[in-house]
Amino acid sequence: MTDSVPLPAWPIQRRYRHASWNPGRGPCWAWGTRTFVMGIINATDDSFSGDGVADRLDDAVALARELVEGGADIIDIGGASSRPRAEPTPVAVERRRAVRVIEAVRCELDRLGIDIPISVDTTTAAVAEPALTAGADVVNDITGFRTDPELAPLVARHGAGAVLMHNQRGREHTDLIADVTTGLNISLDICAAAGVGADRIVADPGFGFGFGVSQNLELMRRLPELWPLDLPLLIGTSRKSTVGAITNTGIDDRLFGTAATITAAICAGIDVVRVHDAAQMTQAIRMTDAIVRPAR
């Protein structure tokens, strides 16, 4: 870590290009005041975590209610698996899965009077456009708008929020933080050219996407080196193989290991965590926030 990079200090004092984020529904998210929770719904049949609800709308709606009751601030719905070595999902299949679940979840949230945003986890405009029409508010792209040149302009036209992830898969490594920063800056340039403002962007360094166990641990230790981006940061460690490798646990038994990664990430300045187990993780989040954001 260079001398110019701030060390974590509590209470956390981070800079942001914009003080808040309007995800499209509900109140604006005031960055730095607390950690926000993204709850996961995998509308797939081959989710790495074994919780896919492809074409099972009742299960998807029940899971959405569970996530909201557990403290989720946004629900992330994807129709294609992003696990390593997964078979590519045809766009038509991904679109059908994601849009049907988004429609059903939005209908249920409206029925319950719950005004929280939905994000669609996709890399293609062909899925994002009907998803936004169906009730999504944010596009979460694991390739940072670097796969489909039509996606960033689509987000700009809809005024949607954007979660941009750096994905190291298939790319050579140099220095971990340099790789992440370079990738995110390319995505930010794509957004700027398309008219997606920085006030609508959340950045994700891509834990587990092209990084091995030791690199993922290094990423966790070096998260404060991403502060100079002056952007809100999201991380997704929930149930991932690195947690299993360190704790020697199966996918269904990684609750405490995941909580440890979330606590460490918050201490390092992370603003949003993407999780499967909202109620349990919210306990860890609230306790950690009370320690590292007491002035908030």
Side-chain angles (χ1 to χ4, degrees):
M1 187 179 296
T2 64
D3 293 339
S4 62
V5 175
L7 292 171
W10 302 337
I12 294 173
Q13 300 292 332
R14 280 197 53 206
R15 296 177 304 174
Y16 301 89
R17 300 187 198 186
H18 300 275
S20 64
W21 187 52
N22 182 353
R25 295 175 196 262
C28 290
W29 295 13
W31 299 123
T33 59
R34 67 180 180 91
T35 305
F36 296 87
V37 179
M38 173 182 277
I40 301 167
I41 294 181
N42 288 310
T44 64
D45 57 6
D46 59 347
S47 167
F48 87 91
S49 58
D51 61 346
V53 292
D55 300 316
R56 303 202 316 269
L57 297 184
D58 288 345
D59 290 343
V61 167
L63 179 54
R65 287 196 301 265
E66 179 183 326
L67 290 168
V68 172
E69 291 167 1
D73 299 290
I74 183 171
I75 297 174
D76 189 46
I77 298 172
S81 176
S82 59
R83 64 181 174 83
R85 295 174 295 281
E87 288 294 323
T89 302
V91 171
V93 174
E94 179 190 356
R95 181 170 56 238
R96 186 195 74 240
R97 290 171 174 173
V99 170
R100 290 184 70 207
V101 170
I102 289 168
E103 287 176 337
V105 169
R106 176 56 67 202
C107 182
E108 178 68 0
L109 294 177
D110 289 345
R111 185 185 72 82
L112 296 173
I114 298 171
D115 192 28
I116 71 168
I118 292 173
S119 57
V120 56
D121 183 351
T122 187
T123 64
T124 68
V127 174
E129 186 159 28
L132 291 169
T133 302
D137 311 281
V138 176
V139 175
N140 176 15
D141 182 0
I142 63 168
T143 64
F145 292 174
R146 296 174 67 178
T147 296
D148 185 346
E150 297 181 6
L151 189 51
L154 172 69
V155 169
R157 290 196 302 272
H158 281 262
V163 177
L164 307 176
M165 196 189 81
H166 169 69
N167 193 325
Q168 192 63 30
R169 289 177 181 170
R171 295 189 169 94
E172 292 185 3
H173 292 273
T174 53
D175 171 81
L176 189 143
I177 295 300
D179 291 338
V180 172
T181 302
T182 298
L184 288 174
N185 279 326
I186 291 172
S187 295
L188 291 172
D189 288 343
I190 291 170
C191 285
V196 180
D199 60 323
R200 285 147 58 191
I201 294 171
V202 176
D204 179 348
F207 182 99
F209 282 81
F211 297 127
V213 172
S214 62
Q215 291 169 317
N216 284 324
L217 297 177
E218 180 184 354
L219 175 61
M220 295 294 293
R221 288 191 290 268
R222 298 180 66 185
L223 285 173
E225 294 182 55
L226 297 176
W227 292 11
L229 289 169
D230 295 341
L231 290 170
L233 299 172
L234 177 151
I235 200 162
T237 61
S238 184
R239 301 183 184 176
K240 286 190 175 175
S241 59
T242 292
V243 176
I246 298 300
T247 60
N248 193 28
T249 53
I251 290 171
D252 294 332
D253 195 24
R254 295 175 183 173
L255 200 63
F256 295 112
T258 295
T261 63
I262 285 173
T263 296
I266 295 169
C267 292
I270 284 289
D271 301 283
V272 188
V273 293
R274 185 176 183 271
V275 303
H276 298 85
D277 306 287
Q280 297 89 336
M281 294 306 111
T282 295
Q283 286 193 28
I285 290 163
R286 288 177 179 169
M287 192 69 236
T288 309
D289 275 353
I291 296 167
V292 305
R293 306 187 204 268
R296 307 303 186 193

Coordinates of all heavy atoms in Angstrom, one line a residue, residues 185-243:
N185 N -12.2 2.1 -14.6 CA -12.1 3.3 -15.3 C -12.5 3.2 -16.7 O -13.1 4.1 -17.3 CB -10.6 3.9 -15.2 CG -10.4 4.6 -13.9 OD1 -11.3 5.3 -13.3 ND2 -9.2 4.5 -13.4
I186 N -12.2 2.0 -17.3 CA -12.8 1.8 -18.7 C -14.3 1.8 -18.7 O -14.9 2.4 -19.6 CB -12.2 0.4 -19.2 CG1 -10.7 0.5 -19.5 CG2 -13.0 0.0 -20.5 CD1 -10.1 -0.8 -19.8
S187 N -14.9 1.2 -17.7 CA -16.3 1.2 -17.6 C -16.9 2.6 -17.4 O -17.9 3.0 -17.9 CB -16.8 0.3 -16.4 OG -16.4 -1.1 -16.7
L188 N -16.2 3.4 -16.6 CA -16.6 4.7 -16.3 C -16.5 5.6 -17.6 O -17.4 6.4 -17.8 CB -15.8 5.4 -15.2 CG -16.0 4.8 -13.8 CD1 -15.0 5.3 -12.8 CD2 -17.4 5.1 -13.3
D189 N -15.5 5.4 -18.4 CA -15.4 6.1 -19.7 C -16.6 5.7 -20.6 O -17.1 6.6 -21.3 CB -14.1 5.8 -20.3 CG -12.9 6.4 -19.6 OD1 -13.1 7.3 -18.8 OD2 -11.8 6.0 -19.9
I190 N -16.9 4.4 -20.6 CA -18.1 4.0 -21.4 C -19.3 4.7 -20.9 O -20.2 5.2 -21.7 CB -18.2 2.5 -21.3 CG1 -17.1 1.8 -22.0 CG2 -19.6 2.0 -21.9 CD1 -17.0 0.3 -21.8
C191 N -19.5 4.8 -19.6 CA -20.7 5.4 -19.1 C -20.7 6.9 -19.4 O -21.8 7.5 -19.8 CB -20.7 5.3 -17.5 SG -21.2 3.7 -17.0
A192 N -19.6 7.6 -19.3 CA -19.5 9.0 -19.6 C -19.8 9.3 -21.1 O -20.6 10.2 -21.4 CB -18.1 9.5 -19.3
A193 N -19.3 8.4 -22.0 CA -19.6 8.6 -23.4 C -21.1 8.4 -23.7 O -21.6 9.0 -24.7 CB -18.7 7.6 -24.2
A194 N -21.7 7.5 -22.9 CA -23.2 7.2 -23.2 C -24.1 8.2 -22.5 O -25.3 8.1 -22.7 CB -23.5 5.8 -22.8
G195 N -23.6 9.0 -21.6 CA -24.4 9.9 -20.8 C -25.0 9.3 -19.5 O -25.9 9.9 -19.0
V196 N -24.3 8.3 -19.0 CA -24.7 7.8 -17.7 C -23.8 8.5 -16.6 O -22.6 8.4 -16.6 CB -24.4 6.3 -17.5 CG1 -24.8 5.8 -16.1 CG2 -25.2 5.5 -18.6
G197 N -24.5 9.4 -15.8 CA -23.8 10.2 -14.9 C -23.2 9.4 -13.7 O -23.7 8.4 -13.3
A198 N -22.1 9.9 -13.2 CA -21.4 9.3 -12.0 C -22.3 9.2 -10.8 O -22.1 8.4 -10.0 CB -20.1 10.0 -11.7
D199 N -23.3 10.1 -10.8 CA -24.2 10.1 -9.6 C -25.1 8.9 -9.6 O -25.8 8.6 -8.7 CB -25.1 11.4 -9.6 CG -25.9 11.5 -10.8 OD1 -25.4 11.2 -11.9 OD2 -27.1 12.0 -10.7
R200 N -25.1 8.1 -10.7 CA -26.0 6.9 -10.9 C -25.2 5.6 -10.8 O -25.8 4.6 -11.0 CB -26.8 7.0 -12.2 CG -27.9 8.0 -12.1 CD -28.2 8.7 -13.4 NE -28.5 7.7 -14.5 CZ -28.6 8.1 -15.8 NH1 -28.3 9.4 -16.1 NH2 -28.9 7.2 -16.7
I201 N -23.9 5.7 -10.4 CA -23.0 4.6 -10.5 C -22.6 4.1 -9.2 O -22.2 4.9 -8.3 CB -21.8 4.9 -11.4 CG1 -22.3 5.2 -12.9 CG2 -20.8 3.8 -11.4 CD1 -21.2 5.8 -13.8
V202 N -22.5 2.8 -9.0 CA -21.9 2.1 -7.9 C -20.9 1.1 -8.5 O -21.1 0.5 -9.5 CB -22.9 1.3 -7.1 CG1 -22.3 0.5 -6.0 CG2 -24.0 2.2 -6.5
A203 N -19.7 1.0 -7.9 CA -18.6 0.2 -8.5 C -18.4 -1.0 -7.6 O -18.4 -1.0 -6.4 CB -17.3 1.1 -8.5
D204 N -18.1 -2.1 -8.3 CA -17.9 -3.4 -7.7 C -16.5 -3.9 -8.1 O -16.3 -4.1 -9.3 CB -19.0 -4.4 -8.1 CG -18.9 -5.8 -7.5 OD1 -17.8 -6.1 -7.0 OD2 -19.9 -6.5 -7.6
P205 N -15.6 -4.2 -7.2 CA -14.2 -4.7 -7.7 C -14.2 -6.1 -8.2 O -13.2 -6.5 -8.7 CB -13.4 -4.5 -6.4 CG -14.4 -4.6 -5.3 CD -15.7 -4.0 -5.8
G206 N -15.3 -6.9 -8.0 CA -15.3 -8.2 -8.7 C -14.7 -9.3 -7.9 O -14.0 -10.2 -8.5
F207 N -15.0 -9.4 -6.6 CA -14.5 -10.5 -5.8 C -14.9 -11.8 -6.4 O -16.1 -12.1 -6.7 CB -15.1 -10.4 -4.4 CG -14.7 -11.4 -3.4 CD1 -13.7 -11.1 -2.4 CD2 -15.3 -12.6 -3.3 CE1 -13.4 -12.1 -1.5 CE2 -15.0 -13.6 -2.4 CZ -14.0 -13.3 -1.5
G208 N -14.0 -12.7 -6.6 CA -14.3 -14.0 -7.2 C -14.4 -14.1 -8.7 O -14.5 -15.2 -9.2
F209 N -14.3 -13.0 -9.4 CA -14.4 -13.1 -10.8 C -13.0 -12.9 -11.5 O -12.6 -11.9 -11.8 CB -15.4 -12.0 -11.3 CG -16.8 -12.3 -11.1 CD1 -17.4 -12.1 -9.9 CD2 -17.6 -12.8 -12.1 CE1 -18.7 -12.4 -9.7 CE2 -18.9 -13.1 -11.9 CZ -19.5 -12.9 -10.7
G210 N -12.4 -14.1 -11.7 CA -11.1 -14.1 -12.3 C -10.0 -14.0 -11.2 O -8.8 -14.0 -11.6
F211 N -10.3 -14.1 -10.0 CA -9.3 -14.0 -8.9 C -9.4 -15.3 -8.1 O -10.5 -15.9 -7.8 CB -9.6 -12.9 -7.9 CG -9.5 -11.5 -8.6 CD1 -10.5 -10.6 -8.4 CD2 -8.4 -11.1 -9.2 CE1 -10.5 -9.3 -9.0 CE2 -8.3 -9.9 -9.8 CZ -9.3 -9.0 -9.7
G212 N -8.2 -15.8 -7.7 CA -8.1 -17.0 -6.9 C -8.3 -16.7 -5.4 O -8.5 -15.5 -5.1
V213 N -8.2 -17.7 -4.6 CA -8.4 -17.5 -3.1 C -7.4 -16.4 -2.6 O -7.8 -15.5 -1.9 CB -8.2 -18.8 -2.4 CG1 -8.2 -18.6 -0.9 CG2 -9.3 -19.8 -2.8
S214 N -6.1 -16.5 -2.9 CA -5.2 -15.6 -2.3 C -5.4 -14.2 -2.9 O -5.3 -13.2 -2.1 CB -3.7 -16.0 -2.6 OG -3.5 -16.1 -4.0
Q215 N -5.8 -14.1 -4.1 CA -6.1 -12.8 -4.7 C -7.3 -12.2 -4.1 O -7.4 -10.9 -3.8 CB -6.2 -12.9 -6.2 CG -4.9 -13.2 -6.9 CD -5.1 -13.6 -8.3 OE1 -6.0 -14.3 -8.7 NE2 -4.2 -13.0 -9.2
N216 N -8.4 -13.0 -3.8 CA -9.6 -12.5 -3.2 C -9.3 -11.9 -1.8 O -9.8 -10.9 -1.4 CB -10.6 -13.5 -3.1 CG -11.3 -13.8 -4.5 OD1 -11.5 -12.9 -5.2 ND2 -11.7 -15.0 -4.7
L217 N -8.4 -12.7 -1.1 CA -8.0 -12.2 0.3 C -7.2 -10.9 0.2 O -7.4 -10.0 1.0 CB -7.3 -13.3 1.0 CG -8.0 -14.6 1.3 CD1 -7.1 -15.6 1.9 CD2 -9.2 -14.3 2.1
E218 N -6.4 -10.8 -0.8 CA -5.6 -9.6 -1.0 C -6.5 -8.4 -1.3 O -6.3 -7.3 -0.8 CB -4.6 -9.8 -2.1 CG -3.7 -8.5 -2.4 CD -2.8 -8.7 -3.6 OE1 -2.7 -9.8 -4.1 OE2 -2.2 -7.7 -4.0
L219 N -7.5 -8.7 -2.2 CA -8.5 -7.7 -2.5 C -9.2 -7.1 -1.3 O -9.3 -5.9 -1.1 CB -9.5 -8.2 -3.5 CG -10.7 -7.3 -3.9 CD1 -10.2 -6.0 -4.5 CD2 -11.7 -8.0 -4.8
M220 N -9.6 -8.0 -0.4 CA -10.2 -7.6 0.8 C -9.3 -6.7 1.7 O -9.8 -5.7 2.2 CB -10.7 -8.8 1.7 CG -11.7 -9.7 1.0 SD -13.3 -8.9 0.8 CE -13.8 -8.7 2.5
R221 N -8.0 -7.1 1.7 CA -7.1 -6.3 2.5 C -6.8 -4.9 1.9 O -6.6 -4.0 2.6 CB -5.8 -7.1 2.7 CG -5.8 -8.3 3.6 CD -4.4 -8.8 3.9 NE -3.9 -9.4 2.7 CZ -3.9 -10.7 2.4 NH1 -4.6 -11.5 3.2 NH2 -3.4 -11.2 1.4
R222 N -6.9 -4.9 0.6 CA -6.6 -3.6 -0.1 C -7.7 -2.8 -0.6 O -7.5 -1.8 -1.3 CB -5.7 -4.0 -1.3 CG -4.4 -4.7 -0.9 CD -3.5 -5.0 -2.1 NE -3.0 -3.9 -2.8 CZ -2.4 -3.9 -4.0 NH1 -2.1 -5.1 -4.6 NH2 -2.0 -2.8 -4.6
L223 N -8.9 -3.1 -0.1 CA -10.1 -2.3 -0.5 C -9.9 -0.8 -0.3 O -10.4 0.0 -1.1 CB -11.3 -2.8 0.2 CG -11.9 -4.1 -0.2 CD1 -13.1 -4.6 0.7 CD2 -12.5 -4.0 -1.7
P224 N -9.3 -0.3 0.8 CA -9.1 1.1 0.9 C -8.3 1.8 -0.2 O -8.5 3.0 -0.4 CB -8.3 1.2 2.2 CG -8.7 0.0 3.0 CD -8.8 -1.1 2.0
E225 N -7.6 1.0 -1.0 CA -6.9 1.6 -2.1 C -7.8 1.9 -3.3 O -7.4 2.6 -4.2 CB -5.8 0.6 -2.6 CG -4.7 0.4 -1.6 CD -3.6 -0.5 -2.1 OE1 -3.0 -0.3 -3.2 OE2 -3.3 -1.5 -1.4
L226 N -9.1 1.5 -3.2 CA -10.1 1.9 -4.2 C -10.8 3.2 -3.8 O -11.6 3.7 -4.6 CB -11.1 0.8 -4.4 CG -10.5 -0.5 -4.9 CD1 -11.6 -1.6 -5.0 CD2 -9.9 -0.3 -6.3
W227 N -10.6 3.7 -2.6 CA -11.2 4.9 -2.1 C -11.0 6.1 -3.1 O -11.9 6.9 -3.3 CB -10.7 5.3 -0.8 CG -11.2 4.4 0.4 CD1 -11.8 3.2 0.3 CD2 -11.1 4.7 1.8 NE1 -12.0 2.7 1.5 CE2 -11.6 3.6 2.4 CE3 -10.5 5.8 2.5 CZ2 -11.6 3.5 3.8 CZ3 -10.6 5.7 3.9 CH2 -11.1 4.6 4.5
P228 N -9.8 6.2 -3.7 CA -9.5 7.4 -4.6 C -10.5 7.4 -5.8 O -10.5 8.5 -6.5 CB -8.1 7.2 -5.0 CG -7.4 6.5 -3.9 CD -8.5 5.5 -3.4
L229 N -11.2 6.4 -6.1 CA -12.2 6.4 -7.2 C -13.3 7.4 -6.8 O -14.1 7.9 -7.7 CB -12.8 5.1 -7.4 CG -11.9 4.0 -8.1 CD1 -12.6 2.6 -8.0 CD2 -11.6 4.4 -9.6
D230 N -13.5 7.7 -5.5 CA -14.5 8.6 -5.0 C -15.9 8.1 -5.4 O -16.8 8.9 -5.6 CB -14.3 10.0 -5.5 CG -13.1 10.6 -4.9 OD1 -12.6 10.1 -3.9 OD2 -12.6 11.6 -5.5
L231 N -16.1 6.8 -5.5 CA -17.4 6.2 -5.9 C -17.9 5.3 -4.7 O -17.1 4.7 -4.0 CB -17.3 5.4 -7.1 CG -17.0 6.1 -8.4 CD1 -16.7 5.1 -9.5 CD2 -18.3 6.9 -8.8
P232 N -19.2 5.1 -4.6 CA -19.7 4.1 -3.7 C -19.2 2.7 -4.1 O -19.2 2.5 -5.4 CB -21.2 4.3 -3.7 CG -21.5 5.0 -5.0 CD -20.3 5.9 -5.2
L233 N -18.9 1.8 -3.2 CA -18.4 0.5 -3.5 C -19.3 -0.6 -3.0 O -19.8 -0.5 -1.9 CB -17.0 0.4 -2.9 CG -15.9 1.3 -3.3 CD1 -14.7 1.2 -2.5 CD2 -15.6 1.1 -4.8
L234 N -19.5 -1.6 -3.9 CA -20.3 -2.8 -3.6 C -19.4 -4.0 -3.6 O -18.5 -4.0 -4.5 CB -21.4 -2.9 -4.6 CG -22.4 -4.1 -4.5 CD1 -23.8 -3.7 -5.0 CD2 -21.9 -5.3 -5.3
I235 N -19.7 -5.0 -2.8 CA -18.9 -6.2 -2.9 C -19.9 -7.4 -2.7 O -20.8 -7.3 -1.9 CB -17.7 -6.3 -1.9 CG1 -16.7 -7.3 -2.3 CG2 -18.2 -6.5 -0.5 CD1 -15.3 -7.1 -1.7
G236 N -19.6 -8.5 -3.4 CA -20.4 -9.7 -3.2 C -19.5 -10.9 -2.9 O -18.8 -11.5 -3.7
T237 N -19.5 -11.2 -1.6 CA -18.7 -12.4 -1.1 C -19.6 -13.6 -0.7 O -19.1 -14.6 -0.4 CB -17.8 -12.0 0.1 OG1 -18.7 -11.5 1.1 CG2 -16.9 -10.8 -0.3
S238 N -20.9 -13.4 -0.7 CA -21.8 -14.3 -0.1 C -21.7 -15.7 -0.6 O -21.8 -16.0 -1.8 CB -23.2 -13.8 -0.3 OG -24.2 -14.6 0.4
R239 N -21.4 -16.7 0.3 CA -21.3 -18.1 0.0 C -20.3 -18.5 -1.0 O -20.3 -19.7 -1.5 CB -22.7 -18.6 -0.5 CG -23.8 -18.4 0.5 CD -25.1 -19.0 0.0 NE -26.3 -18.8 0.8 CZ -27.5 -19.1 0.5 NH1 -27.7 -19.8 -0.6 NH2 -28.5 -18.9 1.3
K240 N -19.4 -17.6 -1.4 CA -18.5 -17.9 -2.5 C -17.4 -18.9 -2.1 O -17.1 -19.2 -0.9 CB -17.9 -16.6 -3.1 CG -18.9 -15.9 -3.9 CD -18.3 -14.7 -4.6 CE -19.4 -14.0 -5.5 NZ -18.8 -12.8 -6.2
S241 N -16.7 -19.5 -3.1 CA -15.8 -20.6 -2.9 C -14.6 -20.2 -2.1 O -14.1 -21.0 -1.4 CB -15.3 -21.1 -4.3 OG -14.7 -20.1 -5.0
T242 N -14.2 -18.9 -2.1 CA -13.1 -18.5 -1.2 C -13.5 -18.7 0.2 O -12.7 -19.1 1.0 CB -12.7 -17.1 -1.5 OG1 -12.2 -17.0 -2.8 CG2 -11.7 -16.5 -0.5
V243 N -14.7 -18.4 0.6 CA -15.2 -18.6 1.9 C -15.1 -20.1 2.3 O -14.7 -20.5 3.3 CB -16.6 -18.1 2.1 CG1 -17.1 -18.4 3.5 CG2 -16.7 -16.6 1.9

